[in-house]
Amino acid sequence: MVSASGGLVVGLAVGLLALVLQVVVNVARAAAAGFARPASTAAQDGGAAHHRPLSIEAAAALLPAGARGRWLESVDEATHDYPAEEHRRLLRDFIAHAPAVIAWAWALELRSRALGIGVRSGSNR
């Protein structure tokens, strides 16, 4: 028999393994795409020649799909709302906070998956 704390350790290990595998898959996808800007964001801004730094694109590639779009929108909104002289500082702040954002986004994603929360076919939500 496995004790409650042993079960917790096993659960955390399995969750961490799933997280690592998902990060590897996302990085591989981003590398295969050459860290290109997603077509959906290009369409949203009318195809303007707006390019984010590679570090922002790389950090976004590590996020789950839903969080990725929201985070990139936050980056774009911040760079749009502030003068060009502030952009370097803003982007540096986004990159400095990216590890925490990635960890929390995946924790919420894994929690949602484990609890079966989310959009399912036939759901009334």
Side-chain angles (χ1 to χ4, degrees):
M1 284 239 128
V2 177
S3 68
S5 62
L8 177 63
V9 170
V10 169
L12 287 173
V14 169
L16 183 60
L17 178 62
L19 174 64
V20 168
L21 289 174
Q22 189 65 45
V23 167
V24 168
V25 167
N26 282 348
V27 169
R29 284 181 186 160
F35 291 105
R37 193 164 163 228
S40 60
T41 58
Q44 288 172 357
D45 64 12
H50 170 74
H51 298 285
R52 296 182 198 102
L54 179 61
S55 55
I56 294 289
E57 293 290 346
L62 297 175
L63 289 164
R68 181 181 310 126
R70 289 188 301 272
W71 192 68
L72 288 172
E73 286 174 11
S74 295
V75 170
D76 291 342
E77 184 177 330
T79 56
H80 181 267
D81 290 346
Y82 287 86
E85 305 82 49
E86 299 277 331
H87 290 187
R88 189 173 187 156
R89 182 188 57 80
L90 286 168
L91 294 173
R92 192 170 41 241
D93 287 346
F94 271 100
I95 291 301
H97 292 97
V101 171
I102 293 165
W104 277 107
W106 276 110
L108 292 173
E109 178 74 15
L110 292 174
R111 178 179 165 259
S112 295
R113 289 181 185 186
L115 296 176
I117 301 171
V119 178
R120 285 178 253 153
S121 62
S123 176
N124 290 336
R125 290 190 254 174

